[in-house]
Amino acid sequence: MTQPTPTPVSTAPNGEEFPLPGPEDYDREISRLKQLCKSQQDQGRQIVVVMGVGFVGAVMAGVVADAWDKDKNDSPYFVIGMQRPSPRSFWKIPMLNRGLAPVEAEDPEVAPLISRCVLEKQTLTASFAYEALSLADIVVVDVQCDYLKDRLGNVREGNVEIAALEDSLKVIGAHIRPDCLVLIETTVPPGTTEYVAYPLIKKAFAHRGIMDVEPLLAHSYERVMPGRHYVKSIRDFWRVCSGINQASRDRVAAFLSMVLNVDQFPLTVLERPIESETAKIVENSYRATILAFLDEWSLFAERNGVDLIKVIDAIKVRPTHNNMIFPGPGIGGYCLPKDGGLGVWSYNALMGFEDDIFKITPMAIDINDTRALHVAELVRDALRNMGRIVAASRIALLGASYREDVGDTRYSGSELVVRKLTEMGGDLVIHDPYVTHWWELEKQDTYPSPGRSWSRFFRNQERLSDTRIRQDLSDALKDADCMILAVRHDAYMDLDPEQMVALSGKPMAVIDCFGILSDAKIQHYFELGCEVKGLGRGHIKRIKDRIQKKQ
Amino acid sequence: MTQPTPTPVSTAPNGEEFPLPGPEDYDREISRLKQLCKSQQDQGRQIVVVMGVGFVGAVMAGVVADAWDKDKNDSPYFVIGMQRPSPRSFWKIPMLNRGLAPVEAEDPEVAPLISRCVLEKQTLTASFAYEALSLADIVVVDVQCDYLKDRLGNVREGNVEIAALEDSLKVIGAHIRPDCLVLIETTVPPGTTEYVAYPLIKKAFAHRGIMDVEPLLAHSYERVMPGRHYVKSIRDFWRVCSGINQASRDRVAAFLSMVLNVDQFPLTVLERPIESETAKIVENSYRATILAFLDEWSLFAERNGVDLIKVIDAIKVRPTHNNMIFPGPGIGGYCLPKDGGLGVWSYNALMGFEDDIFKITPMAIDINDTRALHVAELVRDALRNMGRIVAASRIALLGASYREDVGDTRYSGSELVVRKLTEMGGDLVIHDPYVTHWWELEKQDTYPSPGRSWSRFFRNQERLSDTRIRQDLSDALKDADCMILAVRHDAYMDLDPEQMVALSGKPMAVIDCFGILSDAKIQHYFELGCEVKGLGRGHIKRIKDRIQKKQ
């Protein structure tokens, strides 16, 4: 496990500093937990430890702590959110214990959920002491399992960063009671529960002299989605689970049935963990494939007078095709850029096959990872048509996040657009109403999984380290030679061309990455002297020709 | 246009022979058509010629002839179904004129539709005389445009067979009135309407001295689906159309709005024909891609204890993923194996680009085209486990069609399974309740597009030429060493293992290509001494192991 050099404090996003715990803090914490759990168990509650209170774990902890047992008319679980006391993450523990959610969220349900469970129901606490594990009836593992790519556009040249998960499983094996259910919720390479977790925990048990006891191991994957329905996407959504034996399957099904809304969103129980692990990878690779498939047609459309946006709308009318989605300036988010890689890696590294059966899954990721670079080509070509070059231009990018109306910037297409145009010497100005800090640009060395940052694939990236996101469009657009509409944020869907050109102070290149501009708006920009180009929007040339014919 | 050696008769599927028309027949036919059209025009009806009364054209002709103009309280169109008087197709004309549908169909609506329009409403006739075109207000082109593959599993080594369509367009240009709307319904390489049809018709007009008149050209694609809703899939389904200019767009929208159920299934009008042509190719390539994506996961599942059928069911619960479909023993039907090829070909041959932007679209076709070969591997391995080899085995294949509960065998996965196992020396027996003749096997030289038949890719294929389809399971299974469940026909979904083994007279290899067998059935076959394998069904080994542990 890569350890950053330890420093004595952990700094929260709001700037508040928390000293890391010392030996005396541990003693106090352990006795706090023991007392708490004793009193909770006396009330008939089971103890659930959620390992990793990040994007999934924090809300999952809240959902479990908020569960209600109708038969007993009481909360069935007391939850301990666990986090390693590292400088990067320790702050989450004191924050959670104040009743504050350690994740930023557009969902108004998150803050009250956490505050209700911590302060009112008192069914949720957070801790840094692994001894919490020894008190647990159930451990839910939400530790990240990343995928490190060594090259851009080549997922096969990469590796799963499974060390953090393995470390957590060793710690779990060293502490839990033999009858504790370990539920892995992390998206993992198929086979991880049986081929990685099981032997680690068995060995840890043996080391403790616990023989002839089969660990209780289960896997279930979340389908969490950032945005306004963040909590619902965990609690009120279909789940798939499985266990390594009947007892594990029964336990995980009972647990999930208690905490999730399974009446409306029935649970699917599969036989083996590798089946639910595979389901998650296939599910996300499917989406990645659908998006990658459209990349080549996007280029075909651009070059041959086709508006792919309208074509997709025409196709989506058909119910069997209504999940077709335009790929925008690249495919971001935490899952789609990596999950297929976990599958390919598993086949070779865990399952031990040397042949190569994967064609589309890795190719889709490679296509998606490099799609954003084409946006830079459109910017270059549009500026060239106006007699300008990227290296001498001020370029305003509107939208930093990977998805509309959220502030989540993980692996967003916009990040690559910014990096590429910066490499080409452009002067980038960023606007996003949902993003206050673009961590990936600001803190390249400590960003979640350091090796994964795209920065090392481009030159000139030091220029980005003091990037500050503008919240004000007039600020962002001032003197802009180019405006890139990168995300379908609500605020960008109906911008007035007249006003935009007034803000920049001159005709500019306008790049539509996401079918944001109507034909009327495109025409208006041309009439104002702008040059317009768009991903997959080959009909723009026709609009320009019509105007020139009129003139 | 490739012309088979002319013979004086055309033989219908029922064996009836029709002499081809001679010169005197033409005179009579032309005067018949002129009289008919005159009287129809006097009743205020427009004349619609449908060129090509094959799978799409025959039913489209019926749907147009069956249309009703509520304002006029009358049939708005008189339809002439046109077909070249070739030995292969001429019989369709006299058949149609007796009120009989020239296509086999599981849809009970087809026969009454044709008979009603020909015999009762008298709004539909069929003809072989191109002079019909000169009487038309609208010509609907349903001439096939095939794709010839030179190698199996390599769609790039192939070509569009556009000559038949070009010939039809030349004939149309030579005959139609300048104000006649030509609606191309054939699935064509994107750009065909503007880059192929337009210049051909312009030239034909010029040759006739018609200058300064823009032809009226439109494109609209059907979404026809064989089966019990064949007519509905044309009439009661969403349509996309476009035209080369405003007049063409208006005319095609008005025509389709009159003949189709656009109130319930609104029409999408795109600006350029290349946009609707591209939409069709993207739509079908999308489906082909989804299926091809699952091929690699099917193999992953087989090798790692995963039942992909259950995994897909678990994923499909999610509304954004509910169109995931298991690929079965290969991807057949007329469209999916070729449409992507039309797109790739257009980019190079019509649009004139020399670079290679297509990655997934052609790869999906190649994967789908060769998936069936893996079924032969499963047969081989299952037989080997029983101490037998393919070359000395009698193999019963259940299901010849490309889709459940239809009799359509075009490019079915089953065809390749049969060809491969025949190459390996197996003795194949075929059963299908919906298929009486498997034309692709029986008549390899005259099958629709001769070069496209798979036969030339395998040895031993002469053994297949006298293949007769069994309608009786006991006949098909007698002495079988192997039973391949290839299609999800209703009749195959609940076969009794006990009974099947009794019919074959011995334990056999059972190959499930389509998730047809429940786990209980799989177990039962094992208990009866059979060896079971299935595409994507890696859990079968577990079932076998459990039984062996018990014994």
Side-chain angles (χ1 to χ4, degrees), chain A residues 455-472:
Chain A
S455 67
R456 66 210 157 90
F457 301 123
F458 300 93
R459 74 174 188 120
N460 272 351
Q461 301 301 296
E462 64 285 358
R463 294 181 53 198
L464 290 171
S465 56
D466 57 351
T467 301
R468 289 292 170 272
I469 302 256
R470 323 284 167 123
Q471 303 294 325
D472 187 348

Short mmCIF file of all heavy atoms in Angstrom, two decimals, chain A residues 455-472:
data_model
loop_
_atom_site.label_atom_id
_atom_site.label_comp_id
_atom_site.label_asym_id
_atom_site.label_seq_id
_atom_site.Cartn_x
_atom_site.Cartn_y
_atom_site.Cartn_z
N SER A 455 -2.08 13.89 -15.88
CA SER A 455 -1.12 14.98 -16.09
C SER A 455 0.16 14.52 -16.76
O SER A 455 0.70 15.20 -17.63
CB SER A 455 -0.79 15.65 -14.75
OG SER A 455 -0.09 14.75 -13.93
N ARG A 456 0.63 13.33 -16.40
CA ARG A 456 1.93 12.92 -16.91
C ARG A 456 1.93 12.60 -18.40
O ARG A 456 2.98 12.34 -18.96
CB ARG A 456 2.45 11.72 -16.10
CG ARG A 456 1.64 10.48 -16.26
CD ARG A 456 1.70 9.63 -14.99
NE ARG A 456 0.56 8.75 -14.93
CZ ARG A 456 0.55 7.52 -15.44
NH1 ARG A 456 1.61 7.02 -16.01
NH2 ARG A 456 -0.54 6.79 -15.37
N PHE A 457 0.77 12.58 -19.02
CA PHE A 457 0.74 12.28 -20.45
C PHE A 457 0.92 13.53 -21.33
O PHE A 457 0.93 13.43 -22.55
CB PHE A 457 -0.55 11.57 -20.83
CG PHE A 457 -0.75 10.27 -20.10
CD1 PHE A 457 -1.88 10.03 -19.33
CD2 PHE A 457 0.22 9.26 -20.16
CE1 PHE A 457 -2.06 8.84 -18.66
CE2 PHE A 457 0.05 8.06 -19.50
CZ PHE A 457 -1.09 7.85 -18.73
N PHE A 458 1.03 14.70 -20.68
CA PHE A 458 1.07 15.94 -21.46
C PHE A 458 2.16 16.88 -20.95
O PHE A 458 2.49 16.86 -19.76
CB PHE A 458 -0.29 16.66 -21.36
CG PHE A 458 -1.44 15.83 -21.87
CD1 PHE A 458 -2.17 15.04 -21.01
CD2 PHE A 458 -1.75 15.84 -23.22
CE1 PHE A 458 -3.22 14.25 -21.49
CE2 PHE A 458 -2.80 15.06 -23.70
CZ PHE A 458 -3.54 14.27 -22.83
N ARG A 459 2.67 17.72 -21.82
CA ARG A 459 3.64 18.74 -21.40
C ARG A 459 2.89 19.96 -20.87
O ARG A 459 1.66 20.03 -20.98
CB ARG A 459 4.55 19.12 -22.58
CG ARG A 459 3.87 19.98 -23.63
CD ARG A 459 4.84 20.46 -24.71
NE ARG A 459 4.14 21.44 -25.56
CZ ARG A 459 4.52 22.68 -25.73
NH1 ARG A 459 5.62 23.15 -25.16
NH2 ARG A 459 3.82 23.50 -26.49
N ASN A 460 3.61 20.89 -20.31
CA ASN A 460 3.04 22.19 -19.90
C ASN A 460 2.08 22.11 -18.73
O ASN A 460 1.41 23.11 -18.43
CB ASN A 460 2.24 22.83 -21.06
CG ASN A 460 3.13 23.67 -21.96
OD1 ASN A 460 4.29 23.91 -21.63
ND2 ASN A 460 2.58 24.12 -23.07
N GLN A 461 1.96 20.94 -18.09
CA GLN A 461 0.89 20.78 -17.12
C GLN A 461 1.11 21.59 -15.84
O GLN A 461 0.16 21.85 -15.10
CB GLN A 461 0.68 19.30 -16.78
CG GLN A 461 0.35 18.45 -18.00
CD GLN A 461 -0.92 18.90 -18.72
OE1 GLN A 461 -1.99 18.85 -18.14
NE2 GLN A 461 -0.79 19.38 -19.96
N GLU A 462 2.35 22.01 -15.60
CA GLU A 462 2.60 22.84 -14.42
C GLU A 462 1.79 24.13 -14.48
O GLU A 462 1.44 24.70 -13.44
CB GLU A 462 4.11 23.13 -14.26
CG GLU A 462 4.76 23.94 -15.38
CD GLU A 462 4.99 23.16 -16.68
OE1 GLU A 462 4.68 21.95 -16.72
OE2 GLU A 462 5.45 23.77 -17.67
N ARG A 463 1.45 24.56 -15.68
CA ARG A 463 0.65 25.78 -15.82
C ARG A 463 -0.75 25.63 -15.22
O ARG A 463 -1.42 26.62 -14.98
CB ARG A 463 0.52 26.15 -17.29
CG ARG A 463 1.85 26.54 -17.94
CD ARG A 463 1.66 26.92 -19.39
NE ARG A 463 0.63 27.95 -19.55
CZ ARG A 463 0.03 28.21 -20.70
NH1 ARG A 463 0.34 27.53 -21.78
NH2 ARG A 463 -0.89 29.15 -20.78
N LEU A 464 -1.17 24.39 -15.02
CA LEU A 464 -2.53 24.17 -14.54
C LEU A 464 -2.64 24.15 -13.02
O LEU A 464 -3.74 24.18 -12.47
CB LEU A 464 -3.07 22.83 -15.07
CG LEU A 464 -3.35 22.81 -16.58
CD1 LEU A 464 -3.64 21.40 -17.02
CD2 LEU A 464 -4.52 23.73 -16.89
N SER A 465 -1.48 24.11 -12.33
CA SER A 465 -1.55 23.85 -10.89
C SER A 465 -2.23 24.97 -10.11
O SER A 465 -2.73 24.74 -9.02
CB SER A 465 -0.16 23.56 -10.33
OG SER A 465 0.69 24.65 -10.62
N ASP A 466 -2.26 26.18 -10.67
CA ASP A 466 -2.99 27.22 -9.93
C ASP A 466 -4.35 27.53 -10.57
O ASP A 466 -4.89 28.62 -10.40
CB ASP A 466 -2.13 28.48 -9.78
CG ASP A 466 -1.68 29.02 -11.12
OD1 ASP A 466 -1.89 28.31 -12.13
OD2 ASP A 466 -1.13 30.13 -11.16
N THR A 467 -4.88 26.56 -11.28
CA THR A 467 -6.21 26.74 -11.88
C THR A 467 -7.26 27.01 -10.79
O THR A 467 -7.31 26.30 -9.79
CB THR A 467 -6.64 25.45 -12.62
OG1 THR A 467 -5.67 25.17 -13.63
CG2 THR A 467 -8.01 25.60 -13.24
N ARG A 468 -8.03 28.04 -11.01
CA ARG A 468 -9.16 28.31 -10.12
C ARG A 468 -10.42 28.33 -10.96
O ARG A 468 -10.43 28.90 -12.04
CB ARG A 468 -8.99 29.67 -9.40
CG ARG A 468 -7.89 29.70 -8.35
CD ARG A 468 -8.20 28.83 -7.12
NE ARG A 468 -7.04 28.69 -6.25
CZ ARG A 468 -6.11 27.74 -6.36
NH1 ARG A 468 -6.20 26.83 -7.32
NH2 ARG A 468 -5.09 27.68 -5.53
N ILE A 469 -11.44 27.69 -10.47
CA ILE A 469 -12.67 27.62 -11.23
C ILE A 469 -13.46 28.93 -11.07
O ILE A 469 -13.65 29.39 -9.95
CB ILE A 469 -13.54 26.45 -10.74
CG1 ILE A 469 -12.76 25.14 -10.84
CG2 ILE A 469 -14.85 26.41 -11.48
CD1 ILE A 469 -13.13 24.26 -11.96
N ARG A 470 -13.91 29.50 -12.19
CA ARG A 470 -14.74 30.71 -12.12
C ARG A 470 -16.20 30.31 -11.94
O ARG A 470 -16.65 29.34 -12.55
CB ARG A 470 -14.63 31.53 -13.42
CG ARG A 470 -13.26 31.55 -14.05
CD ARG A 470 -12.31 32.47 -13.31
NE ARG A 470 -10.95 32.21 -13.77
CZ ARG A 470 -10.15 33.15 -14.28
NH1 ARG A 470 -10.55 34.40 -14.38
NH2 ARG A 470 -8.93 32.83 -14.68
N GLN A 471 -16.85 31.08 -11.13
CA GLN A 471 -18.27 30.83 -10.92
C GLN A 471 -19.09 31.82 -11.74
O GLN A 471 -20.32 31.72 -11.80
CB GLN A 471 -18.63 30.96 -9.43
CG GLN A 471 -17.83 30.04 -8.53
CD GLN A 471 -18.12 28.57 -8.75
OE1 GLN A 471 -19.25 28.21 -9.05
NE2 GLN A 471 -17.10 27.72 -8.66
N ASP A 472 -18.39 32.74 -12.35
CA ASP A 472 -19.05 33.85 -13.03
C ASP A 472 -18.72 33.77 -14.52
O ASP A 472 -17.56 33.79 -14.92
CB ASP A 472 -18.48 35.15 -12.43
CG ASP A 472 -19.23 36.36 -12.93
OD1 ASP A 472 -20.02 36.23 -13.89
OD2 ASP A 472 -18.99 37.45 -12.36
#
